[in-house]
Amino acid sequence: MIRFAGLRKTFGSKRVLDGLDLEIRTGETMAVIGQSGSGKSVLLKLLIGILAPDAGSIEIDGTDVAPLRGDARQAVTRKFGMLFQAAALFDSMTVAQNVAFGLERYERLTPAEIAARVTDCLEKVGLRGIEGLMPHELSGGMRKRVGLARAIAYRPEIILYDEPSTGIDPIRADAINELILLLQREMGVTSVVITHDMVSAAKVADRIAMLYEGRIVACGTPAEIERSPNAVVQQFIHGRAEGPIRNW
Amino acid sequence: MARLPGTAYARNFLIQLGEIAELGGRTFRNFLRRPWEGRNFLQQLDEIGARTLPVVSLTAAFGGLVFGLQMYGGFHRYIGAGSEAYGGPVISLGLCKELIPILVGLMVAGRVGSSMAAEIGTMRITEQVDALFSLGADPNRYLVVPRTAAAFLMLPCLTLYGDLIGIIFGAIYNVGIMGVNGTIYVRNTLQYLQFWDVASGLVKAAVFGIIIAVVGCWQGLKAEGGAEGVGRATTRTVVIASISILIVNFFMSKFLPG
């Protein structure tokens, strides 16, 4: 169980998160939706420890991880695999080196075992025989898949997806959605998907939470969100320019 | 309430100084911790050392030539014909203590410091630095420590190499081109050039190495705003590192013994 309570984060004069509360159950896929710049990615970075909150707590299985530093923090970070928005593959490394990167740090495996795990993870995301390619030789969709292979290589308990369908065509985006569902079934992980793509959110999520003005304004199953009486949610999910959301 | 003129600049300067000190301190602490990123360290030794040799060779050679030229002219004009052979120790002293460490520092700041800022800056804006963290690699230990350690080690090596090239080319100008008595020139150089004259230049170079790496990594890690931001970080690195080298060089010349 992941629980955010009273989470606040400010950059300069801009308050991005303003007392956010949210619970994510073990084994479920939670999609967090919201406008661009609403703080969705910040939420993921706070969860994984890249950023520290100004106030509030982030509990994982009952332990507040926000104040942790050093090795204790590292042990928590080990639980997470993260797919970054533009994949964030290391430019100077091959696909195999990218996928093996976390494995080499988090697990004590022989080179042969690492190579086998890399091949296995790449096959899981539908890629074969590309171990020796460099990131710049891959298409946008392939980069996302390699990023996903890298995120699952050390078998994390929680997978974070930052805008998994952004920047790729609808067919490839749907293939990524299918992959998220497949990994969910096969690995039984808890997943947090940050997106502003309602099609993607409705397809992959058990529950959807809407982030607006630094707080969660609605949370429920895709069907409940679809029927939400909240005008902000309705404006966002139907993509209307007219409505209470004016800061676009 | 009206602020004093320059308050904002002073505040900004102090904040930036604090950021550099914080990064330098963290890098030093991580330098003492295991495990080391050995592969990165070796790559940086190659990048800062071997790949900078051609630039240092050219700079030191022409530095030695022009220093030799000026010394020859000075001795010839102010002391008299025949005294030029006594220029050898002065040329070597000037090169080893001041000119070569500064030239090597400025060359490495331009070639390597800017490249550090550009590489790390690009990694930052494409979230590769965040990816390092998520995959169990502390960005400071993975990126900053190997670069700083390699610069700390390689700058003195490059400077020693530059000293040798500079002295040789200074001699080539005086003895080979201007016909100064080679025996006296070499004997005077060996007699009057002392160990500490060379060593103080190497100590300076090691400090310049730390300055270049820490400034380059600091600018890279705080780069934002896309390609333009990376460009700004690169330019700032060269400017800040170069000015710092010149300022620090003065104080080290003043306070180092010899």
Side-chain angles (χ1 to χ4, degrees):
Chain A
M1 166 89 80
I2 301 169
R3 179 183 289 133
F4 301 98
L7 207 59
R8 292 178 197 278
K9 184 68 186 173
T10 303
F11 294 99
S13 59
K14 184 174 164 56
R15 176 160 285 183
V16 179
L17 299 181
D18 189 13
L20 178 140
D21 298 307
L22 180 65
E23 279 186 12
I24 301 167
R25 297 167 199 146
T26 301
E28 81 169 336
T29 299
M30 168 70 81
V32 179
I33 60 172
Q35 291 173 277
S36 300
S38 61
K40 304 188 298 294
S41 297
V42 170
L43 186 65
L44 285 195
K45 288 180 180 178
L46 289 168
L47 181 55
I48 204 168
I50 292 169
L51 297 173
D54 299 333
S57 64
I58 303 168
E59 284 182 20
I60 296 173
D61 299 330
T63 306
D64 184 6
V65 299
L68 299 180
R69 297 287 177 273
D71 291 342
R73 178 71 243 186
Q74 196 73 6
V76 174
T77 306
R78 162 74 178 83
K79 292 175 187 248
F80 294 97
M82 182 159 174
L83 172 61
F84 288 85
Q85 193 168 340
L89 300 182
F90 303 124
D91 298 329
S92 57
M93 297 182 197
T94 63
V95 166
Q97 287 168 333
N98 264 283
V99 178
F101 193 92
L103 263 181
E104 289 168 349
R105 277 161 177 78
Y106 285 134
E107 295 193 21
R108 289 170 183 264
L109 298 175
T110 64
E113 287 170 327
I114 288 175
R117 184 83 73 86
V118 166
T119 305
D120 178 48
C121 289
L122 285 171
E123 283 183 359
K124 264 202 180 88
V125 298
L127 296 170
R128 276 179 193 204
I130 63 157
E131 283 87 341
L133 294 185
M134 298 301 286
H136 70 263
E137 296 175 284
L138 307 176
S139 68
M142 287 169 85
R143 289 171 69 90
K144 290 234 174 186
R145 283 165 181 255
V146 172
L148 193 48
R150 185 175 70 178
I152 62 170
Y154 47 93
R155 295 171 182 159
E157 296 167 29
I158 303 159
I159 304 183
L160 312 177
Y161 301 88
D162 190 3
E163 306 280 8
S165 56
T166 298
I168 49 179
D169 66 60
I171 294 168
R172 288 196 171 93
D174 194 52
I176 295 284
N177 291 338
E178 292 290 345
L179 262 176
I180 294 172
L181 291 169
L182 179 76
L183 292 175
Q184 177 66 22
R185 277 198 304 272
E186 284 194 356
M187 298 172 70
V189 292
T190 305
S191 303
V192 184
V193 182
I194 295 297
T195 186
H196 52 239
D197 176 355
M198 281 310 299
V199 177
S200 175
K203 180 160 187 171
V204 301
D206 297 314
R207 290 193 301 151
I208 297 174
M210 166 113 190
L211 177 59
Y212 179 65
E213 293 188 336
R215 290 166 183 248
I216 298 297
V217 293
C219 184
T221 63
E224 287 168 345
I225 289 293
E226 180 69 33
R227 293 193 304 269
S228 169
N230 188 316
V232 167
V233 175
Q234 286 302 319
Q235 184 189 354
F236 183 80
I237 64 176
H238 293 109
R240 288 194 291 258
E242 288 300 315
I245 304 174
R246 285 287 179 189
N247 56 341
W248 45 265
Chain B
M1 197 174 80
R3 284 187 172 180
L4 289 170
T7 306
Y9 286 109
R11 184 171 172 273
N12 201 24
F13 174 75
L14 289 175
I15 288 172
Q16 296 193 353
L17 210 58
E19 287 174 3
I20 294 176
E22 198 271 334
L23 181 65
R26 189 144 40 97
T27 304
F28 181 70
R29 282 196 302 278
N30 283 332
F31 180 77
L32 303 173
R33 290 175 63 190
R34 296 288 178 274
W36 253 56
E37 296 288 347
R39 198 165 40 185
N40 279 3
F41 175 64
L42 291 176
Q43 271 176 3
Q44 291 304 318
L45 284 183
D46 178 50
E47 179 63 33
I48 299 168
R51 290 170 192 263
T52 311
L53 274 180
V55 179
V56 170
S57 304
L58 266 177
T59 314
F62 281 93
L65 282 172
V66 79
F67 218 57
L69 182 153
Q70 295 300 344
M71 281 301 141
Y72 178 87
F75 272 83
H76 187 79
R77 191 192 304 176
Y78 299 115
I79 300 177
S83 67
E84 302 90 348
Y86 294 94
V90 184
I91 292 169
S92 307
L93 188 75
L95 287 173
C96 294
K97 286 188 85 165
E98 301 294 341
L99 194 64
I100 298 296
I102 287 180
L103 284 179
V104 168
L106 295 179
M107 286 299 122
V108 174
R111 204 194 82 80
V112 180
S114 59
S115 134
M116 285 178 188
E119 186 183 356
I120 297 175
T122 305
M123 287 183 73
R124 176 168 152 76
I125 62 171
T126 56
E127 294 191 307
Q128 291 177 55
V129 174
D130 291 343
L132 281 176
F133 181 89
S134 76
L135 294 165
D138 177 343
N140 182 276
R141 288 167 77 172
Y142 189 82
L143 297 171
V144 187
V145 171
R147 282 166 174 76
T148 308
F152 175 74
L153 273 181
M154 289 318 296
L155 264 279
C157 296
L158 289 169
T159 299
L160 189 61
Y161 169 77
D163 289 346
L164 199 65
I165 297 288
I167 289 170
I168 289 171
F169 274 81
I172 285 174
Y173 181 82
N174 278 275
V175 178
I177 299 174
M178 302 309 292
V180 168
N181 186 316
T183 310
I184 300 174
Y185 185 96
V186 172
R187 193 188 63 202
N188 282 342
T189 301
L190 294 176
Q191 187 177 345
Y192 292 110
L193 187 68
Q194 294 178 354
F195 167 78
W196 186 248
D197 298 330
V198 179
S200 65
L202 303 186
V203 172
K204 284 180 178 180
V207 174
F208 297 164
I210 294 174
I211 291 172
I212 293 164
V214 171
V215 170
C217 294
W218 165 61
Q219 280 295 319
L221 286 170
K222 65 182 274 179
E224 54 189 12
E228 196 185 340
V230 174
R232 268 199 306 271
T234 308
T235 309
R236 278 188 193 146
T237 295
V238 178
V239 172
I240 295 171
S242 301
I243 291 173
S244 305
I245 284 170
L246 294 172
I247 294 172
V248 168
N249 178 65
F250 169 77
F251 287 104
M252 290 186 78
S253 295
K254 178 80 180 156
F255 294 110
L256 278 175

